[in-house]
Amino acid sequence: MNKIPVGIIGVSGYTGLELIKILLNHPVFEINYVANSQGEQYLCDIHPALKGVFDLKIQKANPKEASKKCSLVFLALPHKNAMSFAKELLACGVKVVDLSADYRLEQKNYESHYATLHTDTQNLSKAVYGLVEYTREKIKKASLVANPGCYPTATLLGLIPFLPYLENSSIFVDAKSGVSGAGKQLTQNTHYPTINENIFSYSPFQHRHQIEIEEKCAILGNKPVKVNFVPHLVPFTQGMLVSIFATLKQTIDPLEILKKCYENEAFIRIRDIPADVHSVRGSNFCDIFAKCRGKDIYINTAIDNLLRGASSQGVVNANLMCHLDENLSIPKIG
């Protein structure tokens, strides 16, 4: 099979490194272009683990140059930055998997929670939300896929199967993420003396991923809901654990519903005991557990925030966009 040249713009962060690790083992995708805002370095200068393994020179990000070398580009950029790159790449006929928030939300929700003005509304209307289990057929036809956020991925995969059975009452989501979810930039919250042997919530009821969860429940699950979302930072590097609490209309067998919903999904595992972070770390799996007490339901999911919540999910989307086996080179174990 002919190689497909791909690039990564925003290669300096944790998700950029994870993308490289996956793509280096991919039998079809070939990394031809890596870039960040500065360029003029080699990958091992930023990611020492790649020394002697893959040491491509990093370019200063330029969408026109990327389009000359790539058929598909992964954008691992902050929100507001990605849309200008995506717009130029798409105009040059290059497919884009965007790992930022720039194309995940409807315009009104994006402009209310991320930026006052979306500068690429034409492509925003064409973007496909890349939650594979629910948008697979659309992804296959897409030129632009918006990779879901890590918190929404873990929450939606657990919540959507139960939406038809839920009362029209508030849903509460307690989510815990490893420190890598905050990115490489040092902050007071991620400073070692703050996070070590500590756990705390941040942005309760105000986190930007709350609107993403609500919007996608309405679109993918066909049920508008009110979600009260509270994220927490916990003192490990990688992984995410989500607990969802809701009220049912009737008594159900939650594990049977999950098994039926995901019976043909390679990277969803239904657990008989609560999910845990160690079991999914380094993989694309989402583990899901659920239990009822009368009409109260508890749903529990675990993912690797850097992989299923970002990079490996992005490669699954790219595989589908390029009409390859969707699970080609996707990690099953760390």
Side-chain angles (χ1 to χ4, degrees), residues 41-52 54-56 58:
Q41 293 176 293
Y42 285 88
L43 281 172
C44 71
D45 295 326
I46 296 174
H47 301 301
L50 296 176
K51 186 173 181 63
F54 185 68
D55 210 8
L56 198 63
I58 300 170

Side-chain angles (χ1 to χ4, degrees), residues 183-198:
K184 267 190 170 181
Q185 189 69 37
L186 183 64
T187 68
Q188 179 61 36
N189 280 354
T190 60
H191 193 45
Y192 181 81
T194 304
I195 189 61
N196 182 47
E197 297 184 7
N198 198 7

Side-chain angles (χ1 to χ4, degrees), residues 101-301:
D102 282 357
Y103 296 94
R104 291 175 188 160
L105 296 170
E106 295 176 346
Q107 184 179 352
K108 63 177 182 178
N109 287 333
Y110 180 85
E111 292 179 349
S112 296
H113 292 80
Y114 283 92
T116 54
L117 181 67
H118 198 291
T119 59
D120 188 23
T121 55
Q122 182 178 357
N123 287 313
L124 177 62
S125 65
K126 300 174 184 175
V128 173
Y129 191 69
L131 193 63
V132 176
E133 288 79 5
Y134 293 94
T135 57
R136 180 176 282 113
E137 295 308 312
K138 290 182 178 180
I139 295 167
K140 292 177 182 178
K141 302 173 185 176
S143 295
L144 170 61
V145 167
N147 218 54
C150 51
Y151 281 129
T153 294
T155 303
L156 291 167
L157 289 173
L159 183 55
I160 290 176
F162 297 106
L163 288 177
Y165 306 95
L166 296 185
E167 288 280 12
N168 295 322
S169 56
S170 296
I171 296 167
F172 291 85
V173 180
D174 174 314
K176 298 176 177 67
S177 175
V179 184
S180 61
K184 267 190 170 181
Q185 189 69 37
L186 183 64
T187 68
Q188 179 61 36
N189 280 354
T190 60
H191 193 45
Y192 181 81
T194 304
I195 189 61
N196 182 47
E197 297 184 7
N198 198 7
I199 180 172
F200 49 85
S201 67
Y202 62 100
S203 301
F205 299 165
Q206 296 178 322
H207 195 280
R208 288 164 170 162
H209 282 171
Q210 181 170 286
I211 190 63
E212 185 177 338
I213 296 165
E214 290 183 338
E215 180 184 297
K216 301 314 173 187
C217 281
I219 294 171
L220 303 179
N222 197 32
K223 186 181 178 72
V225 292
K226 178 184 177 183
V227 172
N228 293 304
F229 179 75
V230 182
H232 300 73
L233 207 59
V234 293
F236 51 73
T237 301
Q238 225 165 308
M240 178 169 288
L241 189 74
V242 169
S243 293
I244 304 164
F245 305 88
T247 304
L248 298 162
K249 299 176 190 174
Q250 63 201 64
T251 57
I252 60 171
D253 184 335
L255 294 182
E256 285 305 310
I257 288 171
L258 287 171
K259 288 172 184 176
K260 184 175 181 181
C261 180
Y262 292 124
E263 60 184 344
N264 297 316
E265 297 297 344
F267 282 99
I268 302 288
R269 298 189 299 198
I270 310 307
R271 298 280 297 265
D272 295 321
I273 59 173
D276 70 282
V277 168
H278 272 289
S279 296
V280 296
R281 188 172 293 160
S283 81
N284 191 57
F285 282 114
C286 177
D287 285 2
I288 310 176
F289 167 81
K291 187 171 184 177
C292 296
R293 184 184 183 191
K295 292 185 179 180
D296 294 328
I297 185 168
Y298 166 62
I299 309 160
N300 177 221
T301 69

